[in-house]
């Protein structure tokens, strides 16, 4: 699907501004962002004025807007990388595409710049196939198909809830790995999209992601935040853990999650060795989360995404709450998020 | 892992000879087969003498050997594409690599011929990661790693049971798809290996495959054969269905199955339009098989592969036997296979 075939009115591109100067970021994306509506959400902790080049269809939201729309007491849940969730909350579009502001367009195997927006929307518009694995990758791509033996009754697939893109140059590693392998760069361009099978757990990254807001919007929740969570991705956990919630809810409701293309090129940010000095709490929390998600079974009565998030919050509090206060806070944040979602999305 | 680092004494390359003239096939593979031991199994229905070029460390087995080792009444289970299973049965090696005789080495993205044998053995020697999905593909490849959020307790992986390679040019489609898309060729070289998550079902293809015979040898069973099963892959089901058994047993025993590299180049064989005239029974049988495998739970007491196969045979007979006589025959073939396996592998 080319950019020309996409209904641009159905898409919001949400950018979290952790740095004031967005000039080079937006300029690099101009060929692919032009014609789309952008929501730029300024990190409420960022004091400087944003620097934004002209020529974009763009709205900027800052702490003042957060205070107005969700109340000053709730705006803290949108600090740092989580500021983009404010954009997810107030968007009215079907699809959200979101890319970290330290990423620029990657080049594909032929040397062409990758149109990440079109690829994400293509992934979302085509069905997903979580119920049976297709060894020939995305069967809906041109020139591809279902492999011999793929059940015909499953060839129409299910709706795609989310599209997780990948990263060239700086891959999305955690703090200890990045610090130990400071020189390692990802040079491997894997030319494929695939559906992650149902019941499989994966750590979704928020760096380069898109989702169908109408299908699963409320499930994209900034819940689990580390006490020392910084302004570099390798120290964060909110997207990874929220992604596990999203995947579980998608499985429960019969939707699919895709991974693979599009790639973006990630530039350097932060000091990996500095991060190594901090203890990465994410490690400990993930070890507790895996058996939790593995045994989690949402009740069959949970048919709406909002219900699923609330049921998940209840289970987190009951089963993980005593392990770490971060889990209790996550559960509370999920409940608060659904309240906000219902209030913002019903009032408009 | 390069060819030089592989212990060639641990590998048998098993080739099913469905055509008498193996000259061009073996010549094309000479750079990669040299130094390995080959087991060539002649289709018992093939009457002509095999034509084999010199210079290979190779043993040929024909119907006479089958009659001697498994008895004349059992040699029918090794007809057509199933002849290679006789090689699996009598091998004494740790790893089996098996490639259809209409395939030649593919070229990688840089234009170099792909060493499929080394890639398969590398896949088998490195751990698999079926319990958690790594979006950065095989984390054990050079330059790759586990993505942020991947649980540290799962980073050592589990033993790899099987490596499923892919196909350029003629992809592995079923008869109806191949007949409807006679001109379609697979040109997409996806440079990745990945573990198929636990609990996900996939149709394993026997065209280009390797497995750890010590771990899961008895699970590679020629069980479900279609009444009209021909001499072209797109009409067969034995490998697809046997692969579903293998995947289920691997999940049960805590092993992983990988898919992706290596590619082979598949040449044309058979008449797709001719195949279209036949009704492909495989379609119907797969529809019945999916809910069966989905709900199948092997007993925890089944700790050996042989026990798993026998338990699976029992379940097939009980739950699918009344649907189609092909399933009853498959269950009987599985029991027979385990008898043969035990007899051949204990007597030596």
């Amino acid at each position: 699907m080319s950019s020309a075939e996409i209904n641009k009115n159905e898409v919001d591109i949400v950018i979290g501004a952790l740095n004031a100067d967005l000039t080079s970021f937006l300029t690099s994306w101009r060929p692919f962002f032009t014609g789309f509506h952008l929501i730029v959400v300024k990190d409420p902790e960022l004091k400087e004025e944003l620097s934004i080049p002209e020529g974009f269809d763009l709205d900027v939201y800052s702490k003042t807007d957060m205070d107005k729309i969700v109340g000053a007491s709730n705006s803290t849940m949108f600090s740092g990388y989580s500021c983009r969730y404010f954009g997810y909350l107030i968007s009215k579009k079907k699809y959200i595409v979101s890319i970290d502001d330290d990423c620029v367009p990657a080049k594909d195997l032929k040397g062409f710049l990758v149109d990440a927006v079109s690829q994400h929307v293509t992934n979302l518009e085509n069905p997903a196939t979580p119920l049976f694995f297709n060894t020939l990758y995305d069967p809906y791509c041109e020139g591809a198909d279902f492999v011999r033996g793929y059940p015909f009754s499953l060839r129409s697939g299910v709706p795609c809830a989310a599209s997780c893109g990948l990263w060239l140059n700086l891959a999305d590693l955690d703090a200890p790995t990045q610090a130990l392998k400071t020189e390692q760069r990802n040079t491997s361009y894997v030319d494929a999209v695939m559906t992650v099978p149902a019941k499989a757990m994966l750590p979704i990254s928020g760096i380069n992601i898109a989702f169908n807001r109408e299908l699963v919007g409320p499930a994209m929740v900034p819940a689990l935040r580390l006490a020392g969570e910084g302004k570099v991705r390798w120290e964060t956990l909110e997207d990874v853990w929220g992604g596990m919630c999203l995947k579980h809810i998608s499985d429960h409701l019969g939707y699919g999650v895709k991974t693979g293309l599009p790639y973006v090129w990630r530039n350097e940010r932060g000091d990996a060795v500095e991060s190594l000095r901090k203890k990465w709490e994410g490690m400990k929390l993930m070890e507790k989360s895996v058996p939790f998600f593995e045994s989690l079974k949402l009740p069959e009565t949970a048919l709406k995404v909002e219900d699923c998030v609330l049921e998940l919050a209840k289970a987190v509090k009951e089963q993980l709450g005593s392990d770490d206060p971060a889990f209790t806070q996550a559960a509370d944040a999920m409940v608060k998020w659904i309240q906000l979602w219902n209030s913002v999305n019903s009032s408009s």
Side-chain angles (χ1 to χ4, degrees), chain A:
Chain A
M1 183 177 280
S2 74
S3 176
E5 295 166 272
I6 290 173
N7 181 352
K8 295 185 178 174
N9 292 323
E10 290 191 329
V11 182
D12 265 336
I13 298 175
V14 176
I15 306 300
L18 277 79
N19 297 287
D21 190 355
L22 292 175
T23 310
S24 72
F25 169 75
L26 285 173
T27 305
S28 74
W29 285 102
R30 192 184 291 275
F32 308 120
F33 284 5
T34 298
F36 289 94
H37 179 248
L38 272 72
I39 293 175
V40 174
V41 186
K42 189 180 167 187
D43 176 3
E45 290 166 9
L46 183 65
K47 299 295 165 219
E48 300 128 85
E49 280 289 305
L50 294 190
S51 185
I52 291 174
E54 292 198 344
F56 291 92
D57 172 16
L58 173 151
D59 289 310
V60 176
Y61 295 86
S62 64
K63 189 168 183 311
T64 319
D65 304 290
M66 293 175 187
D67 290 350
K68 208 181 305 172
I69 294 170
V70 301
S73 62
N74 293 320
S75 68
T76 50
M77 77 195 284
F78 300 113
S79 74
Y81 274 110
S82 298
C83 66
R84 60 166 69 186
Y85 290 85
F86 186 75
Y88 303 167
L89 185 69
I90 55 147
S91 167
K92 299 285 167 276
K93 303 291 177 64
K94 181 175 183 183
Y95 299 126
I96 300 280
V97 174
S98 194
I99 296 171
D100 272 5
D101 65 354
D102 53 357
C103 297
V104 298
K107 283 184 180 163
D108 68 15
L109 290 168
K110 290 178 181 150
F112 294 114
L113 285 178
V114 172
D115 181 351
V117 181
S118 296
Q119 180 70 53
H120 272 309
V121 175
T122 303
N123 293 349
L124 292 172
E125 294 220 319
N126 283 304
T129 53
L131 302 176
F132 210 87
F133 189 86
N134 191 44
T135 49
L136 286 167
Y137 306 101
D138 185 348
Y140 307 107
C141 285
E142 208 184 304
D145 216 310
F146 290 97
V147 74
R148 175 171 51 104
Y150 201 100
F152 278 71
S153 60
L154 297 176
R155 292 191 185 197
S156 49
V158 304
C160 180
S163 160
C164 308
L166 298 175
W167 329 274
L168 287 176
N169 193 37
L170 212 61
D172 186 21
L173 309 176
D174 51 59
T177 308
Q178 190 60 54
L180 287 169
K181 300 188 173 179
T182 47
E183 300 304 312
Q184 183 163 299
R185 294 295 175 272
N186 188 26
T187 58
S188 167
Y189 188 100
V190 176
D191 193 12
V193 175
M194 86 191 65
T195 298
V196 183
K199 297 179 198 154
M201 292 178 282
L202 87 160
I204 291 180
S205 163
I207 294 172
N208 167 24
I209 193 171
F211 60 96
N212 185 324
R213 190 179 176 279
E214 286 179 4
L215 273 188
V216 292
M220 290 298 288
V221 42
L224 189 67
R225 290 166 57 92
L226 303 176
E229 194 151 310
K231 304 280 183 191
V232 282
R233 271 283 178 208
W234 57 63
E235 293 181 2
T236 68
L237 195 62
E238 49 77 2
D239 54 342
V240 167
W241 200 84
M244 291 184 70
C245 297
L246 174 71
K247 176 63 165 61
H248 194 93
I249 291 172
S250 298
D251 286 348
H252 174 75
L253 295 174
Y255 307 141
V257 171
K258 294 183 186 176
T259 181
L261 303 181
Y263 280 90
V264 296
W265 182 272
R266 267 189 96 204
N267 287 313
E268 321 287 315
R269 176 188 287 178
D271 179 346
V273 177
E274 180 59 31
S275 291
L276 188 60
R277 294 211 186 98
K278 306 179 190 172
K279 193 170 134 209
W280 197 55
E281 288 291 319
M283 256 162 81
K284 201 179 73 187
L285 297 176
M286 281 306 291
E287 296 302 333
K288 307 257 185 202
S289 299
V290 170
F292 167 75
F293 280 105
E294 207 160 33
S295 65
L296 178 66
K297 186 135 178 47
L298 293 173
E300 285 182 22
T301 48
L303 299 173
K304 282 178 62 188
V305 180
E306 290 86 340
D307 300 339
C308 293
V309 176
L310 293 175
E311 289 290 344
L312 223 162
K314 208 170 96 187
V316 168
K317 198 164 220 169
E318 281 170 9
Q319 295 171 41
L320 294 172
S322 59
D323 278 329
D324 198 299
F327 287 121
T328 310
Q329 286 157 23
D332 292 342
M334 292 165 94
V335 174
K336 170 60 68 185
W337 172 258
I338 295 300
Q339 286 168 355
L340 291 177
W341 189 275
N342 288 338
S343 128
V344 171
N345 286 282
S346 65
S347 67
S348 56

